[in-house]
Amino acid sequence: QKEVEQNSGPLSVPEGAIASLNCTYSDRGSQSFFWYRQYSGKSPELIMFIYSNGDKEDGRFTAQLNKASQYVSLLIRDSQPSDSATYLCAAPPGGGTSYGKLTFGQGTILTVHP
Amino acid sequence: KAGVTQTPRYLIKTRGQQVTLSCSPISGHRSVSWYQQTPGQGLQFLFEYFSETQRNKGNFPGRFSGRQFSNSRSEMNVSTLELGDSALYLCASSLGVGGGDTQYFGPGTRLTVL
């Protein structure tokens, strides 16, 4: 089992719809979770991070964390064609050896069509 | 505040050569992490440096090495290049104060090994 897994996608949604991206993790010691967006040919760009159970909203983006179920999600409301990218879920390993290390999921490709 | 910078942006080398990549972190950030991104393996952690010391290391052979200077700038070296080393090499900087620090990525160096 991979440490961080994302729904394989690709995910295609119409413009204006809600895109839902999901991620599960196996290390119960992980305390923080990150969502990055990566456009083709570019480097990952931080969208949001979440530490606490529940929802965290930032503009059109909402991150949801459920530590009991080891589940993280990202909702994008009012999806725009400019949101079309690969979305990466990441978490540091638990315990005391996680300095500077993020474990990434394989990414979900999102396409928003007009 | 200026972002993470990486040089060079593109490199073409032949098998057996060695290469050095450079990364300058965001001002005030003392941690630099290096990642390799390939289509097959995704984003994989190479190592992390903080205050000129390697604090964490991923599962890569000893041909991959790095160092950090007193101004937090970091270099990564790959010796005896193999075809499989062709990848996008990303560095990320963070404050380095905890295991779950937010990391900000540079634009990457695209390495092609022929």
Side-chain angles (χ1 to χ4, degrees), chain A residues 43-44, chain B residues 1-7 22-29 31-32 71-73 91-94 103-108:
Chain A
S43 64
Chain B
K1 190 182 270 192
V4 180
T5 59
Q6 290 186 246
T7 57
S22 181
C23 172
S24 292
I26 292 170
S27 177
H29 284 189
S31 170
V32 174
N71 61 358
S72 296
R73 190 178 69 86
C91 81
S93 79
S94 68
Q103 295 186 17
Y104 299 90
F105 283 87

Side-chain angles (χ1 to χ4, degrees), chain A residues 32 34 36 38 41-46 49 51 88 92-93 97-106, chain B residues 31 33 35 37 43 45 48 55-56 88 90 96-108 110:
Chain A
S32 53
F34 302 86
Y36 287 86
Q38 186 172 26
K42 302 294 185 182
S43 64
E45 169 193 13
L46 180 70
F49 58 87
Y51 299 118
L88 297 160
T97 60
S98 61
Y99 289 112
K101 177 179 180 179
L102 288 177
T103 300
F104 284 83
Q106 68 270 36
Chain B
S31 170
S33 298
Y35 294 86
Q37 187 175 32
L43 264 162
F45 173 76
E48 184 254 7
R55 281 197 305 191
N56 208 348
L88 179 66
L90 294 157
V97 297
D101 264 356
T102 302
Q103 295 186 17
Y104 299 90
F105 283 87
R110 173 76 61 184

Side-chain angles (χ1 to χ4, degrees), chain A residues 30-87:
Chain A
S30 294
Q31 296 296 316
S32 53
F33 303 88
F34 302 86
W35 283 100
Y36 287 86
R37 176 176 62 197
Q38 186 172 26
Y39 291 113
S40 180
K42 302 294 185 182
S43 64
E45 169 193 13
L46 180 70
I47 298 175
M48 292 186 70
F49 58 87
I50 185 167
Y51 299 118
S52 304
N53 272 332
D55 295 359
K56 179 182 178 183
E57 188 174 317
D58 184 0
R60 296 186 296 111
F61 298 96
T62 299
Q64 299 174 317
L65 173 59
N66 183 325
K67 290 187 177 181
S69 301
Q70 295 176 251
Y71 178 89
V72 189
S73 66
L74 180 70
L75 300 178
I76 307 175
R77 290 182 302 281
D78 189 24
S79 296
Q80 301 297 309
S82 59
D83 295 325
S84 299
T86 297
Y87 288 79

Side-chain angles (χ1 to χ4, degrees), chain B residues 3-64:
Chain B
V4 180
T5 59
Q6 290 186 246
T7 57
R9 295 292 310 279
Y10 302 92
L11 267 178
I12 300 176
K13 293 286 187 179
T14 57
R15 279 183 301 173
Q17 288 186 309
Q18 75 166 20
V19 66
T20 299
L21 313 181
S22 181
C23 172
S24 292
I26 292 170
S27 177
H29 284 189
R30 296 170 63 192
S31 170
V32 174
S33 298
W34 288 90
Y35 294 86
Q36 181 195 66
Q37 187 175 32
T38 59
Q41 298 298 317
L43 264 162
Q44 294 185 289
F45 173 76
L46 282 155
F47 31 66
E48 184 254 7
Y49 285 87
F50 179 84
S51 291
E52 303 178 65
T53 301
Q54 186 183 88
R55 281 197 305 191
N56 208 348
K57 187 177 186 303
N59 297 322
F60 279 82
R63 301 186 296 107
F64 292 83

